[in-house]
Amino acid sequence: MEEQGCSFSSSSSGPVLLRGPPPLPPHPLPPLLLPQPPPTTAEKSVALRIHKEAEKKRRERINAHFSTLRRLVPNSAKMDKACLLGRVIDQVKELNRKVTDISQVSRVPKEVNEVSVVECSISHNDDDDLYMKASVCCEDRPDLFAQLTEAFQKLRLRTIKAEVVSLGGRTHGAFLLCLEERKENACVSSFMESLRRALDAIASENKDEPSEFSSKRRRMMQIPRV
């Protein structure tokens, strides 16, 4: 029996072999897995030169920063780098301590209006005078302290100490007040509430109308940081 492209005899007693597709060639290895040739002498020389230039620039930057620190720190011309860094660390700690002390003495005005009135005691006070601490935070305006003085006078309060901080159109004032002519049957809580209401009225006056100071503060807060 004959067929196109293939012939075999039916009388053959051996196994019949069928031709299949040819075997695939071996898959090549990825480039990263192939063994890399060792760098040549020229390549090693270029890499070493680049490394030396980078190290030189790094040392130059470090030395420039140390020179700047020597100009800022007094009597540091003959100090080595370790002593100079120690002196800088001590000065930074001292500056942080001073900033903490200043923030405890004077408060930076906040963005929202605030009023506080609390009773306080004065050491070595043998009389029956009433002492209280009052604070107000609001928009800064020309007639603010005139209004505060008028409110204190109406309530017969004497200002013993005042601390005022103004920044960016906002003002924070802290006052130590004394009521010298205190009546025997006077209610302390009602008197403090009267003072609080008076300060609230002053702090909330014209709060919905933008002023020149508040507009300037908003412009300062919107400056992008570099």
Side-chain angles (χ1 to χ4, degrees):
M1 183 172 58
E2 295 182 359
E3 291 185 3
Q4 185 179 1
C6 180
S7 64
F8 60 91
S9 174
S10 59
S11 61
S12 176
S13 60
V16 178
L17 298 178
L18 300 177
R19 291 184 177 181
L24 297 175
H27 192 275
L29 293 176
L32 295 178
L33 299 180
L34 294 176
Q36 299 293 330
T40 62
T41 304
E43 292 175 344
K44 291 182 178 179
S45 176
V46 171
L48 182 60
R49 179 173 55 83
I50 294 175
H51 177 72
K52 287 183 177 180
E53 291 178 354
E55 284 295 318
K56 180 180 178 182
K57 292 180 179 180
R58 186 182 66 86
R59 290 192 299 268
E60 290 176 351
R61 291 196 303 269
I62 293 175
N63 292 332
H65 292 324
F66 271 105
S67 298
T68 303
L69 290 177
R70 293 185 191 279
R71 290 194 298 267
L72 296 175
V73 178
N75 301 326
S76 61
K78 297 182 179 181
M79 288 184 181
D80 57 12
K81 294 181 179 180
C83 294
L84 179 61
L85 289 178
R87 178 71 64 84
V88 172
I89 292 173
D90 293 339
Q91 290 196 1
V92 171
K93 290 181 179 180
E94 180 67 17
L95 290 175
N96 288 333
R97 186 188 62 80
K98 291 181 179 180
V99 169
T100 302
D101 295 341
I102 293 175
S103 62
Q104 292 177 354
V105 173
S106 60
R107 299 180 180 180
V108 177
K110 299 181 180 180
E111 290 288 339
V112 296
N113 294 343
E114 289 183 348
V115 170
S116 172
V117 178
V118 294
E119 184 179 2
C120 64
S121 58
I122 303 297
S123 58
H124 307 292
N125 180 30
D126 298 332
D127 50 22
D128 295 332
D129 297 341
L130 175 62
Y131 292 89
M132 63 189 71
K133 292 181 179 179
S135 64
V136 56
C137 181
C138 63
E139 291 284 344
D140 193 7
R141 54 182 186 272
D143 59 343
L144 175 61
F145 293 100
Q147 293 179 344
L148 292 173
T149 302
E150 183 180 359
F152 295 157
Q153 291 177 352
K154 287 183 178 180
L155 295 173
R156 303 190 307 277
L157 290 171
R158 180 169 61 90
T159 303
I160 299 177
K161 184 179 180 181
E163 296 179 355
V164 179
V165 178
S166 296
L167 179 64
R170 299 286 297 181
T171 296
H172 181 275
F175 307 92
L176 177 61
L177 305 172
C178 174
L179 177 62
E180 296 178 342
E181 299 177 0
R182 180 179 177 182
K183 298 181 180 179
E184 295 181 359
N185 56 354
C187 181
V188 176
S189 59
S190 61
F191 184 84
M192 294 175 60
E193 183 63 27
S194 299
L195 177 59
R196 185 179 294 106
R197 286 198 300 266
L199 296 180
D200 279 330
I202 295 174
S204 60
E205 183 176 347
N206 297 331
K207 64 178 181 179
D208 295 331
E209 298 179 3
S211 61
E212 178 184 358
F213 296 103
S214 60
S215 301
K216 183 185 299 183
R217 182 181 180 87
R218 284 193 293 270
R219 290 196 299 270
M220 293 172 59
M221 300 300 292
Q222 292 173 358
I223 295 177
R225 295 187 178 183
V226 179

